[in-house]
Amino acid sequence: MTLPIRRTAVLALVGAAAASALVGCAPTSGDGPRIVATTNILGDVVAQIAGDEAEVATLMKPNADPHSFEISAQEAAGLADADLLVSNGLGLEENVEQHLVTAADAGAERFVAGDHITALSFSSGDGAGDDPHFWTDPARMTGVVTALGDEIAALPDVDAAAIEERAAAYLEEIAALENEMTTAFEAIPDGRRALVTNHHVFGYLADRFDFDTVGAVIPSGTTLASPSAADLDSLAAAIERTGVPAIFAESSQPDRLVQVLADEVGIDVAVVELFSESLTEPDGPAPTYLDMMRVNTDRIAQGLTR
């Protein structure tokens, strides 16, 4: 049976889901070539590989939404001066991509992480396309780190051997992360291996670790989309049918939309916050990519075994 949804209350909350972000390109590491990363997840990965061999700047501030953050005209103009622009691609940086294209046309080198993975696709009406959230699968992140290490090692005025050593060490950490995730998720019973999230962000994690994606409150790969009344009815029915014990809300968005849906379903469904698209401030629970993945793993495992 499809449960009733207070559509007006739910749809009114959608407009508050995306928050814009803006941060200057201040360096986060030492002298050398200048690398600019779009998202803070990629900014952390670049910094881990580059160390003191390059000046690393990140455009997206902590706790922001990569789909909706914007940059200033001054920042956009400065992109062409970078020795390397590192972006996610696959349609993630929706408000920044045009500036990256302009900078590349002016001569800036680009590294697009999505070009170095086998992308999954999602299909949800008008929202069909490639899924940009590959970092939720550490195995795919391995391919990105390998290619990115080679790219940074080829920059002028860097110690290529030092870059290669740092990249190799970081790959070992990612391998250890994947082993930890495998162990944690294997403890979840088969009947509980279902994910409901704000929007389609954990497709790669589900593919790697054998989860079923029951649905998303926003049935699209972007937080800029809005759910229809039919989408919400269908999702409520799926939650009731599968009996999922938790709904996962992303830290870059308010969880009010998910909370309203959980209340409307009328069953005991926890709303668990995950850090899926943005890192936190340094003193937060997910200041690095590895920290983010470990926190998410723990919260998913606990949420689905409650």
Side-chain angles (χ1 to χ4, degrees):
M1 178 181 69
T2 300
L3 298 177
I5 299 291
R6 286 196 293 268
R7 297 178 178 86
T8 301
V10 173
L11 295 175
L13 293 170
V14 175
S20 62
L22 180 63
V23 66
C25 296
T28 58
S29 58
D31 297 330
R34 183 168 180 266
I35 306 174
V36 177
T38 53
T39 70
N40 51 49
I41 293 173
L42 286 174
D44 172 60
V45 173
V46 170
Q48 298 297 329
I49 298 171
D52 294 332
E53 294 295 319
E55 173 190 321
V56 181
T58 300
L59 295 175
M60 190 180 103
K61 71 179 183 180
N63 302 309
D65 183 342
H67 296 279
S68 62
F69 86 99
E70 299 179 354
I71 61 176
S72 68
Q74 182 179 3
E75 289 170 323
L79 293 179
D81 295 328
D83 294 282
L84 182 64
L85 301 175
V86 178
S87 63
N88 189 91
L90 301 175
L92 184 74
E93 304 98 332
E94 298 174 56
N95 293 326
V96 180
E97 177 62 23
Q98 60 181 332
H99 301 301
L100 299 174
V101 171
T102 299
D105 289 343
E109 293 292 328
R110 289 195 65 180
F111 176 90
V112 181
D115 292 345
H116 301 276
I117 61 108
T118 300
L120 296 177
S121 61
F122 62 88
S123 179
S124 182
D126 294 338
D130 288 332
D131 186 342
H133 309 97
F134 60 82
W135 60 84
T136 63
D137 173 10
R140 283 182 170 85
M141 202 61 163
T142 294
V144 171
V145 169
T146 299
L148 184 56
D150 292 342
E151 190 82 17
I152 296 174
L155 291 174
D157 302 321
V158 301
D159 183 339
I163 296 296
E164 292 167 2
E165 182 177 349
R166 292 182 64 88
Y170 193 54
L171 287 170
E172 290 182 2
E173 293 191 65
I174 294 177
L177 167 69
E178 183 171 11
N179 288 335
E180 293 173 24
M181 294 176 70
T182 299
T183 299
F185 292 151
E186 283 178 345
I188 300 173
D190 290 343
R192 293 289 186 93
R193 302 180 70 84
L195 299 175
V196 179
T197 59
N198 285 59
H199 77 285
H200 288 300
V201 69
F202 288 103
Y204 291 95
L205 183 146
D207 179 65
R208 176 64 55 185
F209 297 103
D210 194 27
F211 283 91
D212 177 28
T213 303
V214 173
V217 178
I218 302 175
S220 173
T222 170
T223 56
L224 303 185
S226 300
S228 68
D231 291 328
L232 296 171
D233 282 345
S234 177
L235 181 58
I239 292 171
E240 183 184 48
R241 181 178 66 254
T242 60
V244 294
I247 297 175
F248 299 101
E250 299 162 67
S251 62
S252 64
Q253 300 179 49
D255 71 351
R256 291 175 296 166
L257 180 63
V258 177
Q259 186 64 63
V260 168
L261 179 60
D263 292 343
E264 290 294 341
V265 170
I267 56 178
D268 182 20
V269 178
V271 178
V272 180
E273 182 184 54
L274 299 181
F275 302 92
S276 56
E277 294 198 291
S278 180
L279 304 182
T280 64
E281 298 283 358
D283 59 351
T288 72
Y289 168 69
L290 296 176
D291 290 330
M292 178 186 75
M293 295 296 288
R294 288 190 169 98
V295 168
N296 287 345
T297 297
D298 182 62
R299 293 185 181 185
I300 290 172
Q302 289 191 30
L304 295 181
T305 56
R306 59 186 288 270

